Amino acid sequence: CVLILFSLTVTATLFGYANRYRKEPRFTVQTERGTLQVLTNTGPAVDAAIRFISQNTTPEEYILTFPEGSSLNFLTGRPFPLRYDVLTPGFLDVQAERYAIRQIIEQKVPYIFLLNRPTTEFGATAFGRDYFRELWRWIEKNYELAVVFGDDVGPDPQIGDNNFFIKCYRLKTRLP
């Protein structure tokens, strides 16, 4: 009896997810490395960021995406400079943040991408404001905002804003 109830619950859940996925409008991002289906509101920013990376970096250059954006690395064939490609709250301690800074310097990362990805499910919302502050302060000192990708975003969008965006930061000068 319990097994039947469990099977029905799983089936209904899977049907619900499949039906919702099929009905929600999608944006197709096509690259040489594959195709990605994303929500319509995120598609233009992702597509523009991928084009920017492809036009402004070489396949040997590292790019960094925060807090979760390694699909940009994969779809552009650019390596990720850190050991972990997802940096959500609580993942790094202060020592690991300092190690990440050393890795960014060693890999001579020319561009850093910050996605509008609130991480409230981890207990903190905004990368650089609520967590990984030391790493973010270092980035702000050494990088400058180059471009913001996304539709209908203001000049200084903030993580948690309704419209999806990706901020691209460019290295100011050569790292030591």
Side-chain angles (χ1 to χ4, degrees):
C1 186
V2 172
L3 186 57
I4 293 171
L5 182 60
F6 177 74
S7 297
L8 288 173
T9 303
V10 169
T11 302
T13 302
L14 290 174
F15 179 76
Y17 280 123
N19 196 33
R20 187 177 91 196
Y21 181 81
R22 196 180 81 235
K23 288 182 179 180
E24 288 181 359
R26 298 286 172 178
F27 184 99
T28 302
V29 177
Q30 294 184 349
T31 71
E32 291 179 14
R33 298 199 67 189
T35 301
L36 180 67
Q37 293 283 321
V38 296
L39 294 174
T40 301
N41 67 328
T42 64
V46 171
D47 193 49
I50 288 171
R51 280 187 278 114
F52 179 90
I53 293 165
S54 297
Q55 293 169 1
N56 293 281
T57 65
T58 65
E60 297 79 32
E61 288 181 297
Y62 290 80
I63 61 165
L64 185 56
T65 54
F66 291 122
E68 298 173 326
S70 58
S71 58
L72 293 179
N73 295 80
F74 174 77
L75 291 171
T76 59
R78 299 327 189 249
F80 196 84
L82 306 179
R83 180 176 181 187
Y84 304 107
D85 63 349
V86 174
L87 296 170
T88 52
F91 203 73
L92 302 178
D93 60 17
V94 174
Q95 290 301 100
E97 283 186 70
R98 292 176 184 151
Y99 180 73
I101 291 167
R102 288 193 306 274
Q103 289 299 110
I104 295 167
I105 292 168
E106 287 176 18
Q107 304 301 340
K108 298 175 178 62
V109 176
Y111 294 100
I112 294 176
F113 296 84
L114 177 66
L115 286 72
N116 182 13
R117 165 60 172 99
T119 53
T120 52
E121 72 273 21
F122 296 102
T125 301
F127 181 93
R129 183 188 73 207
D130 302 325
Y131 60 99
F132 304 147
R133 290 183 190 107
E134 184 170 336
L135 174 57
W136 188 248
R137 279 191 300 273
W138 182 86
I139 290 170
E140 286 184 311
K141 180 180 173 187
N142 293 283
Y143 288 77
E144 62 190 354
L145 184 63
V147 63
V148 179
F149 305 107
D151 288 342
D152 299 321
V153 294
D156 188 27
Q158 301 298 309
I159 292 176
D161 286 356
N162 288 333
N163 294 337
F164 182 78
F165 63 83
I166 300 173
K167 289 184 176 181
C168 171
Y169 293 86
R170 173 181 44 236
L171 182 62
K172 289 179 183 177
T173 59
R174 289 182 56 103
L175 294 171

